[in-house]
Amino acid sequence: MATLESSDSNILDAEAINWRLIVYPLLAVVLLIAGGFFYYYYQQNQRDLVEAQARAAMLKATTPDDLIAIANKFPDTDQATLALMSAAKDSFTLRDFDAAAKDYQRIAAIPGATGELRDSAQLGLASSLEANAKIDDAINAYLAVAQEGDKSPYAPFAYIAAARLYDQRGDKDNERKILTEASSLDPDSQFVKEAQNRLKQLDAESMPPPTTPMPETPAPAAPSAPAPAPATP
């Protein structure tokens, strides 16, 4: 019977060792990927469950305080953001401008609040400050959106709102500056056209009125010769 030489035995052992070095790492990678998928779907299911609970609670809310309580109970959810937005709108309607401003600030500060959601909350904040006669703060809040420029679809409106507040103050220089910046945005925007028309109006108002020439004063008529004295009889 043929027997394996020692060199043949070493070759087989080497092949077995190499097989384990390949298969075990692959198995570990497969288990890691499977575990990652399982964790992801578990987290997603948990998030969906929390969102559903928050939605059910929102349907029962009747006051801004109820909505704020939901936002506090279910943080980091889409429903919490919607609850804050609803609470802010309701507070504004009730003329509780401080509460509305506070809620809008919370929305704008949410880490996931970007783009239109953040700008919408910022405009809500500006409107609340304006309604509460905090004009300086309102102007700054409007300009925070306006200076987004072409990045924000709300920028033209925010420029017009800030310019309107400067006009109410009689601050024509800042009004003109804001309107000039607005005029460089989307030419198809109705608010941009409004800014351009207002600039033309300001230019017309700043022109000195045309001077009207004074009518010529007619020269005084020469004195007439005295009538001759009547003849003495």
Side-chain angles (χ1 to χ4, degrees):
M1 180 181 292
T3 58
L4 292 173
E5 299 294 335
S6 60
S7 60
D8 294 335
S9 176
N10 291 336
I11 292 173
L12 292 177
D13 290 342
E15 290 177 350
I17 292 172
N18 289 336
W19 180 82
R20 287 193 296 270
L21 290 176
I22 295 173
V23 172
Y24 289 171
L26 286 176
L27 182 60
V29 170
V30 170
L31 291 174
L32 182 63
I33 294 175
F37 276 113
F38 175 79
Y39 180 76
Y40 170 78
Y41 284 113
Y42 172 78
Q43 290 291 93
Q44 187 63 40
N45 286 336
Q46 288 297 108
R47 180 176 179 82
D48 291 343
L49 177 61
V50 174
E51 291 281 358
Q53 292 173 345
R55 179 60 181 170
M58 278 190 64
L59 294 175
K60 299 178 182 179
T62 58
T63 67
D65 289 339
D66 292 340
L67 294 165
I68 296 300
I70 293 170
N72 293 336
K73 184 177 180 180
F74 302 98
D76 303 324
T77 64
D78 294 338
Q79 297 302 318
T81 303
L82 292 175
L84 286 173
M85 188 69 77
S86 296
K89 291 179 180 178
D90 290 348
S91 293
F92 191 94
T93 301
L94 295 171
R95 303 187 65 81
D96 188 351
F97 303 124
D98 286 333
K102 182 179 179 181
D103 294 337
Y104 282 125
Q105 283 178 316
R106 282 187 62 179
I107 298 169
I110 293 175
T114 58
E116 293 187 13
L117 174 61
R118 180 198 59 216
D119 291 344
S120 178
Q122 189 71 20
L123 289 178
L125 170 61
S127 296
S128 301
L129 293 169
E130 179 183 352
N132 213 15
K134 297 179 179 179
I135 304 304
D136 286 334
D137 293 335
I139 289 174
N140 291 333
Y142 281 126
L143 291 181
V145 178
Q147 291 169 352
E148 290 286 324
D150 292 329
K151 297 179 182 178
S152 173
Y154 298 115
F157 167 78
Y159 268 124
I160 287 295
R164 172 175 50 79
L165 294 182
Y166 279 127
D167 178 42
Q168 291 175 2
R169 283 186 163 183
D171 188 345
K172 300 301 182 183
D173 290 338
N174 274 317
E175 182 187 3
R176 184 185 296 276
K177 175 184 176 183
I178 294 303
L179 292 172
T180 301
E181 293 177 10
S183 297
S184 65
L185 299 179
D186 181 11
D188 294 328
S189 168
Q190 183 61 39
F191 296 110
V192 172
K193 293 177 182 178
E194 183 178 342
Q196 294 169 344
N197 290 334
R198 176 59 180 160
L199 275 175
K200 293 178 182 178
Q201 182 180 352
L202 288 175
D203 290 340
E205 292 174 356
S206 64
M207 293 179 62
T211 57
T212 303
M214 295 294 292
E216 295 184 1
T217 303
S224 56
T232 302

